[in-house]
Amino acid sequence: MKAKELEERLIQFGVMIIEIVNEMPPSKAGVHLSGQLLRSGTSCALNYGEAQSGESRKDFVHKISIVLKELRETLVNLKMIYRAKLHHSEDHINAAIKENNELISIFVKSIKTAIANHKH
């Protein structure tokens, strides 16, 4: 997958997260988890954009590792929202979880590839 395609996919994922957050209840738990979700779920695209201008291979790996960390945080948050029934659309949450898992797989592979290429 090309960098621009991946960036677009992360942007779309961020939009999906924004839509989920906008539909969450104003309960104490809803407000807390929606804030956490908004931060981690939208930072993925922002951090990936920053990684594209990494100063070195090591810097690039570090920055995409941050993207992976944020994706993992987002996944846990989505699972809590799902299990606590803090969103009215299970389908929307499940779609976000599916995309999140796919993005995690992409970034795990990207990090492994970048590290392997750095060693050669």
Side-chain angles (χ1 to χ4, degrees), residues 42-52 63-64 66-67 70:
T42 58
S43 73
C44 303
L46 301 171
N47 283 309
Y48 183 71
E50 193 174 313
Q52 295 309 298
K63 287 177 178 166
I64 63 172
I66 293 170
V67 174
E70 296 295 331

Side-chain angles (χ1 to χ4, degrees), residues 12 26 34 40 44 47 49 60 62 66 77 79 83 90 95 109-110 118:
Q12 281 304 117
S34 65
S40 64
C44 303
N47 283 309
F60 174 76
H62 172 71
I66 293 170
N77 202 327
K79 288 178 178 179
R83 290 179 189 176
E90 287 186 10
K109 178 111 172 100
S110 294
H118 181 67

Side-chain angles (χ1 to χ4, degrees), residues 50-83:
E50 193 174 313
Q52 295 309 298
S53 58
E55 297 169 8
S56 65
R57 176 67 58 183
K58 185 177 177 181
D59 187 39
F60 174 76
V61 169
H62 172 71
K63 287 177 178 166
I64 63 172
S65 295
I66 293 170
V67 174
L68 179 59
K69 179 181 92 57
E70 296 295 331
L71 284 166
R72 287 184 170 143
E73 180 179 334
T74 301
L75 181 60
V76 171
N77 202 327
L78 285 167
K79 288 178 178 179
M80 283 193 287
I81 290 165
Y82 178 83
R83 290 179 189 176

Side-chain angles (χ1 to χ4, degrees), residues 7-44:
E7 180 178 69
E8 183 57 34
R9 195 162 168 183
L10 287 165
I11 291 168
Q12 281 304 117
F13 179 68
V15 169
M16 184 184 292
I17 295 301
I18 291 167
E19 290 170 350
I20 288 169
V21 166
N22 283 340
E23 297 171 354
M24 287 184 60
S27 67
K28 194 168 191 168
V31 169
H32 175 71
L33 289 176
S34 65
Q36 291 285 104
L37 181 63
L38 187 61
R39 279 186 291 281
S40 64
T42 58
S43 73
C44 303

